[in-house]
Amino acid sequence: MDVRLEHEQGQNRFLIDGTDLQIAPSVTRGDMFDIPAEQYVVEQADRNGRVAVLPPTAPDAAEAVGFYETAARNRGWRVKVVVDRAAGVEFLTT
């Protein structure tokens, strides 16, 4: 999610295509935890916004994205890992 788009253009709904995402061995659950717990707060992301994520095909990366979803939702962010683009659009528009 690019928080600058929220601030500069008023965009607060994002569909992230993570299907080709590869997670480096150095990426930990802590890194995925920091995004919603710290980065979104510091950057003053809009809590009314939504983020839909198409999951990676790589198992380790998919697990990390699933953890990100849980960490974000537990902190009040509207984030959802979706099965396909149509499900993502539905989540973003409802």
Side-chain angles (χ1 to χ4, degrees):
M1 172 169 96
D2 190 339
V3 177
R4 289 176 305 165
L5 290 174
E6 285 187 350
H7 298 296
E8 294 171 3
Q9 299 179 15
Q11 300 297 320
N12 69 351
R13 297 188 182 218
F14 300 90
L15 176 61
I16 299 172
D17 184 349
T19 52
D20 292 330
L21 180 67
Q22 298 292 320
I23 299 292
S26 64
V27 173
T28 65
R29 288 181 180 257
D31 296 326
M32 296 310 249
F33 176 84
D34 289 345
I35 295 169
E38 296 178 14
Q39 180 182 345
Y40 289 174
V41 175
V42 168
E43 293 180 0
Q44 299 178 338
D46 182 358
R47 283 197 183 266
N48 292 316
R50 291 176 181 241
V51 178
V53 183
L54 293 167
T57 54
D60 290 347
E63 181 180 332
V65 169
F67 179 81
Y68 157 74
E69 174 191 38
T70 300
R73 292 176 68 98
N74 286 343
R75 280 152 192 78
W77 301 104
R78 296 175 181 174
V79 173
K80 185 174 185 179
V81 175
V82 296
V83 295
D84 58 29
R85 183 177 174 81
V89 170
E90 181 178 341
F91 173 71
L92 296 173
T93 59
T94 58

